[in-house]
Amino acid sequence: MSTISPRSRRARWPWVVLVIVLVLAALVVASEFVARAIVPNTVRSLVISNLDLPADQQLDVEVPGVMLPQLISGTLDEVELSSDEVTIGGITGSAHVRATDVPVAGGALGAAEGTVSIDQDEFGSLLAASQLPITRIALAAPNATVEGEVELFGRRIPVGLTVTPGAEQGDLLLTPVSLMLNGMQMDLDAVSGMIGAVGEQVTKPQRICIADRLPAGIALTGLRIEGTRAVADISADGRISIDPALLETGTCPRS
């Protein structure tokens, strides 16, 4: 009857440990691949459903870092959402959003913020509620120029107003920087004093509420012109993932 010597058993032991380690590593890698296949699709489906987007909406989801430890902890450190073209509140643009501390089993987000980039036409639609006489708009960083006509002394006078867009307390803010009146460069302060109400209308900063174009849980925090596009910074209330009221369209105060 043969026996295995202690020396032989000792020689085999490191190989057994190595095989076990390799099997466990393979299982971890396989689990990570499965998690990466399932989790982004689940997040995508939830976002599309909650925002009432088309089922075939192009929406990329990325979860940076190793996913398994995050799933075990019950919280994804970071989730990035991006789309080349998405329509929310009648406004279409490209979007990129970064959410942090995302509960796997549901709950409020730690934070969520991002950017939305829109073209001249879409930006112009945001100005529909302004007091500016707009028939044409052009974007050229860092400003926007709006053209139209104002009534002055019984005549329709062409006006071109250049403004710097921004944001203030969730509203779109337009700050005038130069004015062309009937083809002539005008001093903003002089025009404001000369032509009364019309001057006030085109030369003073204007705040435009756009809350009625966004879900109630999303707010405008900044806006700038980059090239020929307007880029809006947005932030979301972390409770938007658990409070349906925050997904409803917001409201603007009545004037």
Side-chain angles (χ1 to χ4, degrees):
M1 182 176 179
S2 62
T3 60
I4 300 175
S5 68
R7 177 178 297 178
S8 178
R9 285 197 296 270
R10 286 195 300 270
R12 291 182 180 181
W13 175 246
W15 291 104
V16 172
V17 173
L18 178 60
V19 169
I20 292 174
V21 169
L22 289 176
V23 170
L24 290 175
L27 289 174
V28 169
V29 171
S31 299
E32 178 73 14
F33 275 119
V34 171
R36 290 209 167 272
I38 294 175
V39 173
N41 285 333
T42 301
V43 172
R44 178 183 179 278
S45 296
L46 288 172
V47 171
I48 285 176
S49 175
N50 288 333
L51 292 180
D52 198 25
L53 297 173
D56 61 352
Q57 171 67 51
Q58 178 263 318
L59 181 66
D60 298 329
V61 180
E62 291 189 16
V63 181
V66 180
M67 191 177 296
L68 276 180
Q70 299 179 61
L71 292 176
I72 293 171
S73 73
T75 302
L76 301 178
D77 297 334
E78 181 180 330
V79 176
E80 294 185 1
L81 309 170
S82 60
S83 178
D84 294 334
E85 185 175 309
V86 61
T87 301
I88 297 177
I91 299 296
T92 301
S94 60
H96 182 273
V97 176
R98 175 179 176 269
T100 57
D101 298 330
V102 180
V104 173
L109 306 174
E113 57 186 17
T115 59
V116 178
S117 174
I118 59 178
D119 64 19
Q120 295 180 161
D121 292 338
E122 297 293 334
F123 180 73
S125 70
L126 289 179
L127 306 187
S130 75
Q131 298 178 8
L132 298 175
I134 301 174
T135 57
R136 180 179 176 274
I137 185 167
L139 304 182
N143 299 319
T145 298
V146 296
E147 297 178 358
E149 292 183 337
V150 296
E151 187 168 340
L152 187 63
F153 307 128
R155 297 176 54 197
R156 303 295 297 177
I157 304 296
V159 60
L161 179 66
T162 298
V163 297
T164 301
E168 184 174 293
Q169 297 179 337
D171 292 342
L172 173 60
L173 179 67
L174 302 177
T175 303
V177 293
S178 66
L179 173 69
M180 296 285 289
L181 194 62
N182 204 23
M184 299 177 58
Q185 187 76 38
M186 305 294 292
D187 180 87
L188 290 172
D189 293 333
V191 169
S192 178
M194 277 194 312
I195 55 179
V198 174
E200 291 282 336
Q201 177 181 331
V202 298
T203 62
K204 298 300 182 184
Q206 286 196 38
R207 281 178 56 173
I208 304 168
C209 176
I210 62 169
D212 58 354
R213 310 296 296 272
L214 300 170
I218 296 179
L220 177 70
T221 58
L223 194 142
R224 60 195 176 278
I225 304 300
E226 294 184 356
T228 57
R229 296 181 68 85
V231 179
D233 297 318
I234 58 172
S235 67
D237 188 317
R239 298 169 299 161
I240 197 170
S241 58
I242 57 173
D243 186 351
L246 295 178
L247 290 168
E248 298 294 329
T249 303
T251 58
C252 289
R254 294 181 179 179
S255 55

